[in-house]
């Protein structure tokens, strides 16, 4: 095999138009879209987001799968996922977007954005008491590529920062806990909870009412806050509503939901204490993500190892 036929790429995407991904990948590879790609023996790589089940299983010479996102739960949902390396997105551009989102939401909750928006609508001129950042503890669940970038940005603003991980991960300036047993202590020291976990069998449904009730409510900002930009199935939407209604949570920001798009009939939309974005915290921009994917394919063909490979046993 030679030229552009060497290592063809299947682009398999649901939920958005992959035109730009197709154009940019085509600069260096022959790209095949479904359904033409099915069973094509010249396909070596698949670039995917929520691919249709069993599509990848039909490719006899697939060598590696590239996830269009940092999260790979969409891949593990496929019963026919082939046993080839999975490369996920780790990119400065995406990390920067997530840091912006986390800082934006933490600041808005801490600086009482919802209250001021309500006051403005009512033309109310009133300055409520304001807690300084160094009296507020932000706890990040998941100090991976995204959490480790958000942490220093929050520290630079003066917040106290806590972190919770699966394995031991010390981090300068951050009070770190790891493992399930330490979760209550981490939550009890946290006013604003930021969730940046991957969705795995261990983390599914972890953000429930019981967990939220362990957050510190007697604090400088007057209550507990949840910010979830990890995955929707980490949380129980109904528990969050209940927590907002019974005062367990003062406010929340959700970027992700159990069902996406969030159904029009969902009561979450209209909740006055909830700030909603449509899974937009850190978008995958093909202009930034396709070049490193193409470079990885070329390096792999030169015999070099792939990077940012998913640990299948851990599930992320
Ligand atoms: P990483 O894999 O780099 O980090 C994951 C972190 O979660 C690690 O610190 C890991 O612990 C921790 N973790 C995993 N499982 C557990 C567990 N059972 N208990 C405690 N901690 C756990 O991922 P990223 O930081 O790159 O991304 C995180 C997630 O963010 C993605 O999986 C995706 O779901 C989501 N995301 C959302 C986006 C959006 O727009 N809303 C955009 C991009 C990503 P340890 O360090 O010990 O391994
Ligand atoms: C991702 C996402 O995982 O956008 O990158 O959700």
């Amino acid at each position: 095999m030679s030229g552009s036929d060497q290592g063809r790429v299947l682009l398999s995407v649901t939920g958005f138009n992959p035109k730009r991904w197709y154009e940019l990948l085509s600069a260096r590879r022959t790209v095949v879209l479904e359904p033409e790609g099915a069973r094509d023996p010249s396909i070596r790589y698949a670039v995917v987001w929520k691919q249709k089940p069993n599509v990848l299983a039909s490719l006899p010479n697939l060598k590696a799968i590239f996830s269009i996102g940092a999260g790979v739960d969409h891949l593990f949902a496929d019963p026919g996922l082939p046993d080839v390396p999975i490369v996920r997105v780790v990119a400065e551009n995406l990390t920067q977007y997530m840091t912006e989102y986390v800082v934006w939401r933490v600041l808005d909750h801490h600086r009482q954005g919802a209250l001021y928006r309500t006051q403005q609508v009512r033309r109310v001129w009133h300055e409520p008491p304001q807690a300084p950042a160094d009296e507020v503890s932000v706890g990040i669940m998941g100090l991976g590529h995204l959490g480790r970038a958000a942490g220093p940005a929050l520290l630079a603003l003066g917040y106290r920062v806590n972190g919770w991980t699966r394995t031991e991960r010390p981090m300068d300036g951050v009070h770190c806990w790891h493992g399930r047993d330490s979760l209550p202590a981490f939550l009890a020291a946290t006013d604003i909870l930021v969730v940046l976990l991957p969705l795995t069998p261990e983390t599914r449904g972890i953000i429930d009412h019981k967990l939220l009730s362990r957050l510190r409510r007697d604090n400088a900002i007057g209550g507990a806050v949840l910010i979830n930009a990890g995955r929707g199935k980490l949380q129980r939407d109904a528990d969050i509503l209940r927590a907002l209604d019974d005062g367990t949570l003062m406010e929340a920001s959700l970027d992700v939901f159990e069902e996406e798009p969030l159904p029009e009939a969902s009561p979450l939309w209209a909740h006055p204490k909830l700030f909603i974005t449509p899974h937009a915290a850190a978008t995958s921009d093909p202009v930034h993500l396709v070049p490193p994917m193409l470079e990885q394919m070329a390096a792999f063909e030169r015999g070099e190892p792939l990077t940012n490979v998913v640990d299948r046993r851990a599930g992320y």
Side-chain angles (χ1 to χ4, degrees):
M1 243 187 257
S2 65
S4 61
D5 276 347
Q6 191 177 36
R8 282 186 178 201
V9 175
L10 176 79
L11 180 58
S12 179
V13 166
T14 60
F16 68 93
N17 183 346
K19 182 170 175 281
R20 197 69 185 120
W21 289 85
Y22 181 87
E23 288 166 356
L24 290 162
L25 285 163
S26 299
R28 299 249 299 270
R29 298 270 158 178
T30 300
V31 183
V32 184
L33 286 162
E34 288 175 86
E36 305 148 58
R39 285 179 285 279
D40 183 337
S42 67
I43 289 174
R44 297 283 185 277
Y45 311 104
V47 174
V48 303
W49 180 255
K50 295 185 182 169
Q51 78 282 0
K52 290 192 194 118
N54 298 311
V55 164
L56 303 179
S58 69
L59 302 170
N61 293 312
L62 189 68
K63 297 288 181 244
I65 300 166
F66 290 79
S67 167
I68 277 178
V72 288
D73 47 292
H74 64 106
L75 275 158
F76 288 119
D78 182 348
L81 183 66
D83 189 14
V84 298
I86 299 168
V87 176
R88 71 184 194 94
V89 170
V90 174
E92 214 174 293
N93 167 261
L94 184 133
T95 304
Q96 173 65 21
Y97 276 137
M98 187 58 87
T99 299
E100 289 165 7
Y101 172 85
V102 170
V103 168
W104 172 40
R105 297 321 312 149
V106 167
L107 276 171
D108 190 53
H109 289 295
H110 163 220
R111 294 304 306 257
Q112 310 179 75
L115 174 67
Y116 284 118
R117 285 187 287 274
T118 308
Q119 288 194 172
Q120 185 174 346
V121 169
R122 295 184 184 146
R123 300 174 185 240
V124 172
W125 185 270
H126 165 67
E127 185 185 353
Q130 177 60 55
D134 65 4
E135 289 181 15
V136 181
S137 288
V138 183
I140 307 175
M141 291 178 90
L143 288 178
H145 277 87
L146 302 180
R148 294 190 97 74
L154 294 167
L155 285 171
L157 288 170
Y159 292 104
R160 293 187 228 150
V161 181
N162 302 323
W164 184 72
T165 50
R166 187 174 63 90
T167 59
E168 195 170 358
R169 299 264 183 210
M171 193 175 161
D172 276 356
V174 177
H175 190 166
C176 292
W177 285 265
H178 68 278
R180 274 281 174 154
D181 292 349
S182 73
L183 191 51
F186 160 80
L187 295 167
T190 293
D191 307 319
I192 300 180
L193 181 67
V194 175
V195 184
L196 291 176
L197 289 170
L199 179 65
T200 69
E202 275 185 40
T203 61
R204 183 175 291 267
I206 191 169
I207 311 298
D208 60 7
H209 194 277
K210 187 173 169 202
L211 178 143
L212 297 171
S213 71
R214 293 194 151 127
L215 288 166
R216 186 162 63 187
R217 281 188 298 283
D218 182 13
N219 59 25
I221 54 171
V225 172
L226 167 70
I227 299 170
N228 185 8
R231 279 291 180 268
K233 287 188 168 60
L234 295 169
Q235 78 203 14
R236 304 210 183 276
D237 290 0
D239 282 23
I240 292 172
L241 274 176
R242 183 154 70 94
L244 287 167
D245 287 338
D246 68 15
T248 299
L249 281 178
M250 181 175 73
E251 292 176 359
S253 284
L254 298 178
D255 184 57
V256 287
F257 302 88
E258 276 189 77
E259 186 183 344
E260 294 181 9
L262 183 62
E264 225 179 304
S266 169
L268 292 173
W269 283 113
H271 203 289
K273 296 179 182 169
L274 186 53
F275 185 90
I276 287 179
T277 43
H279 198 142
T283 198
S284 286
D285 181 346
V287 170
H288 291 268
L289 304 188
V290 167
M293 278 181 188
L294 289 168
E295 277 159 33
Q296 282 237 55
M297 291 173 200
F300 182 69
E301 284 165 4
R302 292 194 301 268
E304 293 166 30
L306 294 165
T307 56
N308 306 320
V309 174
V310 170
D311 174 348
R312 279 190 182 240
R313 263 197 321 167
Y316 62 98

